[in-house]
Amino acid sequence: MKKYFGKFGGQFVPETLVMALQQLEHSYLTVGKSRKFRQELGRLLRTYAGRPTPLYLAKKLTARGGGAKIYLKREDLLHTGAHKINNAIGQALLAKMSGKRRLIAETGAGQHGVATATAAALLGMECDVYMGSVDIARQAPNVYRMELLGARVIEVASGSRTLKDAINEAMRDYTASFETTHYLIGSALGPHPYPAMVRDFQSVIGKEAKGQFAAAEGGVPDALVACVGGGSNAIGLFFPFLNEKVKMYGVEAGGDGNGHAARLTGKGKPGVLHGMKTYLLEDRHGQIADTHSVSAGLDYPAVGPQHSLFMEQGRVKYAEADDSEALSAFHLLSELEGIVPALESAHAVAFALKLARGMGRGKSIIVNLSGRGDKDVDHVRKIEGER
Amino acid sequence: MFSKTKGAAFMPYVCCGDPNPEFTLKLAKALAQNGADAIELGIPFSDPIADGKSVQAASARALVAGMTPKKAIGIIGKLRKEGIGVPIVAMTYYNIPFSFGEEKFAVELKKAGAQGLIVPDVPIDECGPLSAACRKAGLDLVQLATPNCSDGRLRKIAARTKGFLYAVSVVGITGARGRMDARAIRLVKRAKRMGVKVAAGFGISSPAQAREFEQAGADGVIVGSRLADLYSRFISGKLIGERRALAAASKFAREMKRACLG
C-alpha cells in the first residue's frame, strides 16, 4: 500500500509502533482482503448494522432551497446512529480475526466510542475508550451508552481535553499494548495504513449512494456534500465518485468565528500530528491550536491526509458552516423533514441548502447525513436556553 | 559524550522552561556540576505522544509559562555562555522543526551549541529531510530503537543513527517504572554488537536500574520522568522552591552518576 497521498500522510510514529503498524497493514492486506472476512463483514453490515441505508429525496428541504434536488444518504439510520459503525465493525472484525482481544478507541462526539463499544460487545472483545473531559461533559448520554455496552470510558484531562488529546492518549496506550490490542481509529486519519483502511471501510456509503442515485435519477449527481472533522464520512461518500464528473464539497466547522476548526478553508498549513503529515491548525511556534466547534465531532485541529491532497488538487472544494448556521439547519431539517440530524451533519445540510439555491432546478445533490441528532438534543437545548 | 574510561554516561532529561527559564538554567548547571555527562534538553510540544504523565505535565507547564522553540534554543546558547560544557542534545517532536523550517532549526541549534537532536516521532523511514538538514548543519540526529525491533530493523537504525543510538528501554511511553523489561536489557546488548554507542532511556528511574544497563554495556543512561517528579513537588504555578528543588535534583544526580560508574 502507498504510505502517502501526494506529500501527505506517512507514518510519523515512535519506533515501537512501526512494527505494530506493519503488522496491521499486513493483516489488512491478507485477512482483510480474504473472502471469509469480506463475507462476514457484509453479513454483519446487512443483518446487524442496517445496511444498505436509504437515499432519500428531501422534497421539503429541496423546496426550501428552491434549486437543486437534495438527496440525503441516511447514515443516521444505522445502528448506533452514525456512519461510524461501518468502520468500527470492519476494524473490530479484522482485529478479532488477527488474534487481538482488546479494542481501544478515541472519541469526540461519542459516536465512534459507542460504535466501537458496540462492535466490541458484538465480537466479545474488551474495550477502553478515551474521551476528553470537555466532550464527556457535552456528550454525557453517549458516555453512559458506552458503559452500558460494557466499555470503560477513560477521561482525558490533558491539553485541550477534546478529541485531539483523546487520540494522544489512545496512541500512548497502543504503544504499550499493541501485542494484544487493536487501536480502532475512528476517522480516516492517523499514521499509515489507517487513512486508507478507514476510507475503504467507509466507501460502502458512496458505493451504495452511486447505485441508488443511478436507479432513482439515472447517471450521477451533480454534487456531493459532507461534513469534515477527520473526514471519514466525507471520504466514504466521495471516494467511489472520484473518477466521475461530480463536484464535491467538504464542510468544515466554522465554530463561533474565533478559534474555529477550519483547517482547509482557514489558517491551516501543513504540519505533523497523530502520525501524519497533513493540514493542521497551529500557533506561530508550531504548537497545535485549540479548536472550537459546537459539535464535538468536528472539533479537531488536523484533517485526514487525503483531504489535504484533494484540497491542493482542487478535486474537492472545502467550505465552512459556523455554529449558528449548523444550529439553524439542525432545527430546519427537524421541522421540515422530521429528521433530527447530528450537529456534525447539520453543517453539511446548512451548506447544501446554500449550494442548492445557487444551482439550477434540474440538478441534484447528495448530502451525507452522517449521523442522527439524539446525542445533541440536550446540548442544543442547553445552549439555546442560555442565549 | 561518552567517557572512554569507565561506566556509562549519566544523561538527565530536562524539559526546557518548566516551570520557568531561569530554573532550567539553574537545574542544568546543578546537574552538570553533580555528575551529568550530557543533558537532553526537551523543547516542549503541545502533543507529546511518546511521553507519559510526568513529561506531559512538565511540557504543559513550560508552554503555559511561554516557552517557545526559539527561546529554548536561546537557553542552550546561554548555558554555553555560562560555561556549561557538557554536550547538549535537544529533544522535541517533529512538528516543531517542521514548522520552524528543518534546516533553519538544525542550524540554529548547532549555532547555539547543541550536539544532537532526538525526534521520537520520526522513525528512520520518514527521517530523510530532517537527516539531511542535520547533516548539513553538523548536528547529530539520534535514532531510537525499541525492544520489538527485528535484528534487520535494528541494523538499519544503527546504520542511520548519529552520535549514539537511543535504546528505548520499555515497550511503551516515558515514565518511571518499578521494574525493567528483560527485553530492554537484551536490546542494549543487541545494539552494542552493531558497533554503535548506545544510551538507554524511557522508564529508568533508579540507580539500581541504571547499574543494570551499565552492566549490560550501555554507554549512557537517560533519566527524565523521575527527575521531573523530584523537582515538580516544589512547583506552584510558575514559581518553584528553587533551593529545595535543586538540592533534590543534585542529590539524585550524584546517586545516578555513582550507579552509572558501575
Side-chain angles (χ1 to χ4, degrees):
Chain A
M1 289 172 88
K2 283 207 303 195
K3 258 189 197 175
Y4 275 84
F5 306 97
K7 59 180 193 263
F8 301 105
Q11 207 170 63
F12 295 89
V13 293
E15 176 63 26
T16 311
L17 285 181
V18 172
M19 287 288 183
L21 293 170
Q22 281 173 3
Q23 269 175 29
L24 176 60
E25 180 176 352
H26 179 75
S27 297
Y28 181 57
L29 292 177
T30 52
V31 178
K33 301 290 179 194
S34 70
R35 201 182 159 83
K36 194 179 159 211
F37 176 84
R38 292 279 133 196
Q39 281 179 345
E40 182 60 5
L41 178 60
R43 189 184 70 83
L44 290 173
L45 290 178
R46 267 191 324 275
T47 61
Y48 182 78
R51 300 217 71 92
T53 59
L55 183 71
Y56 165 71
L57 173 60
K59 286 191 178 152
K60 287 163 81 183
L61 190 69
T62 297
R64 177 63 66 103
K69 281 185 186 170
I70 301 175
Y71 278 89
L72 303 176
K73 180 61 176 161
R74 298 290 311 274
E75 295 297 293
D76 61 311
L77 291 175
L78 284 172
H79 182 42
T80 72
H83 72 289
K84 296 287 187 188
I85 195 78
N86 302 326
N87 169 53
I89 292 180
Q91 282 194 52
L93 186 64
L94 180 66
K96 174 93 178 177
M97 286 174 67
S98 310
K100 309 282 180 185
R101 57 175 172 73
R102 174 174 173 256
L103 299 175
I104 54 171
E106 80 293 340
T107 197
Q111 291 305 103
H112 174 59
V114 167
T116 303
T118 300
L122 173 70
L123 297 173
M125 301 174 83
E126 277 177 62
C127 182
D128 287 329
V129 179
Y130 289 94
M131 190 169 186
S133 33
V134 169
D135 293 334
I136 285 182
R138 60 182 167 180
Q139 305 286 347
N142 270 343
V143 175
Y144 185 60
R145 277 171 85 194
M146 287 183 264
E147 288 167 353
L148 269 180
L149 293 160
R152 190 161 63 122
V153 178
I154 303 173
E155 178 169 350
V156 179
S158 55
S160 60
R161 294 172 292 144
T162 59
L163 181 58
K164 161 179 90 79
D165 310 281
I167 296 176
N168 290 339
E169 212 46 39
M171 284 184 82
R172 291 180 185 118
D173 181 320
Y174 189 46
T175 306
S177 65
F178 61 86
E179 280 153 344
T180 57
T181 296
H182 173 68
Y183 176 19
L184 208 163
I185 293 186
S187 192
L189 53 81
H192 173 75
Y194 282 102
M197 182 173 69
V198 175
R199 176 201 67 207
D200 293 350
F201 285 135
Q202 292 294 2
S203 291
V204 66
I205 303 171
K207 280 181 208 151
E208 275 177 22
K210 207 171 176 181
Q212 290 165 324
F213 187 86
E217 298 275 344
V220 290
D222 299 283
L224 304 174
V225 178
C227 64
V228 179
S232 72
N233 91 77
I235 212 154
L237 176 65
F238 297 168
F239 196 64
F241 288 96
L242 271 187
N243 298 323
E244 308 287 346
K245 212 170 155 267
V246 176
K247 288 188 170 145
M248 300 180 183
Y249 299 89
V251 186
E252 299 189 290
D256 58 7
N258 281 317
H260 55 59
R263 302 126 313 171
L264 296 170
T265 49
K267 295 178 194 135
K269 61 175 216 156
V272 176
L273 180 71
H274 296 150
M276 60 181 166
K277 191 177 285 179
T278 192
Y279 272 76
L280 48 76
L281 295 168
E282 62 182 22
D283 72 9
R284 64 197 169 91
H285 305 295
Q287 309 296 348
I288 305 304
D290 289 347
T291 52
H292 169 75
S293 163
V294 68
S295 65
L298 300 182
D299 227 345
Y300 183 60
V303 66
Q306 201 162 10
H307 284 291
S308 292
L309 177 64
F310 288 158
M311 191 276 277
E312 288 205 342
Q313 288 174 332
R315 179 63 189 94
V316 178
K317 298 268 178 274
Y318 294 85
E320 53 184 276
D322 65 21
D323 286 354
S324 67
E325 289 172 312
L327 285 166
S328 301
F330 180 83
H331 284 285
L332 190 68
L333 196 68
S334 302
E335 288 161 22
L336 285 182
E337 299 285 351
I339 299 171
V340 181
L343 278 175
E344 291 76 13
S345 319
H347 286 75
V349 173
F351 177 79
L353 204 60
K354 285 194 284 190
L355 182 68
R357 219 164 262 154
M359 288 167 69
R361 280 180 195 276
K363 311 267 184 182
S364 300
I365 301 173
I366 296 177
V367 181
N368 197 1
L369 201 70
S370 55
R372 70 176 89 123
D374 304 31
K375 68 183 174 65
D376 296 309
V377 168
D378 280 351
H379 180 56
V380 170
R381 191 177 56 179
K382 195 161 156 262
I383 54 180
E384 292 186 339
E386 282 164 5
R387 282 181 186 178
Chain B
M1 206 170 305
F2 304 102
S3 94
K4 287 186 187 71
T5 51
K6 193 165 177 273
F10 170 52
M11 307 161 73
Y13 166 93
V14 172
C15 176
C16 192
D18 173 32
N20 59 57
E22 295 71 32
F23 181 71
T24 298
L25 283 168
K26 287 177 188 165
L27 178 61
K29 213 180 281 181
L31 291 167
Q33 283 163 358
N34 286 280
D37 299 291
I39 290 182
E40 186 187 335
L41 192 75
I43 301 176
F45 176 54
S46 54
D47 296 79
I49 52 163
D51 283 304
K53 294 274 175 267
S54 304
V55 176
Q56 281 178 49
S59 304
R61 287 189 298 262
L63 289 174
V64 165
M67 184 46 56
T68 67
K70 223 177 179 69
K71 285 182 191 168
I73 292 169
I75 283 179
I76 295 175
K78 229 176 219 171
L79 282 168
R80 288 286 178 249
K81 268 192 208 110
E82 293 184 16
I84 306 298
V86 298
I88 296 173
V89 180
M91 182 271 177
T92 193
Y93 288 85
Y94 192 34
N95 199 54
I96 296 294
F98 189 82
S99 173
F100 200 95
E102 288 163 89
E103 293 204 358
K104 189 166 153 241
F105 188 75
V107 165
E108 291 198 13
L109 268 179
K110 177 71 183 182
K111 216 165 39 180
Q115 265 80 357
L117 174 64
I118 301 168
V119 186
D121 59 345
V122 180
I124 50 168
D125 326 80
E126 302 284 6
C127 76
L130 190 60
S131 277
C134 289
R135 203 179 316 119
K136 215 169 140 192
L139 194 69
D140 290 338
L141 183 63
V142 175
Q143 304 288 349
L144 297 88
T146 52
N148 62 334
C149 282
S150 65
D151 282 338
R153 177 93 183 159
L154 184 57
R155 201 166 300 120
K156 278 189 205 157
I157 295 171
R160 271 279 183 153
T161 200
K162 296 274 181 283
F164 61 93
L165 184 136
Y166 194 134
V168 174
S169 44
V170 299
V171 176
I173 55 175
T174 66
R177 306 286 205 282
R179 278 181 46 199
M180 294 322 301
D181 191 327
R183 286 180 297 177
I185 299 287
R186 271 207 303 281
L187 172 65
V188 170
K189 292 181 176 166
R190 287 164 64 208
K192 279 307 293 176
R193 283 202 290 272
M194 306 205 168
V196 285
K197 294 287 180 189
V198 177
F202 275 43
I204 301 175
S205 59
S206 71
Q209 290 167 340
R211 196 168 299 124
E212 264 188 86
F213 282 99
E214 188 274 327
Q215 270 156 21
D219 302 286
V221 171
I222 301 169
V223 179
S225 297
R226 175 72 184 141
L227 185 62
D229 294 344
L230 275 178
Y231 72 74
S232 64
R233 285 181 294 155
F234 304 105
I235 290 176
S236 81
K238 289 181 196 177
L239 300 176
I240 181 161
E242 274 185 1
R243 208 169 44 81
R244 287 192 296 169
L246 292 173
S250 301
K251 178 166 174 281
F252 180 65
R254 287 193 297 275
E255 288 166 7
M256 290 302 289
K257 177 61 189 175
R258 207 173 306 129
C260 285
L261 287 173

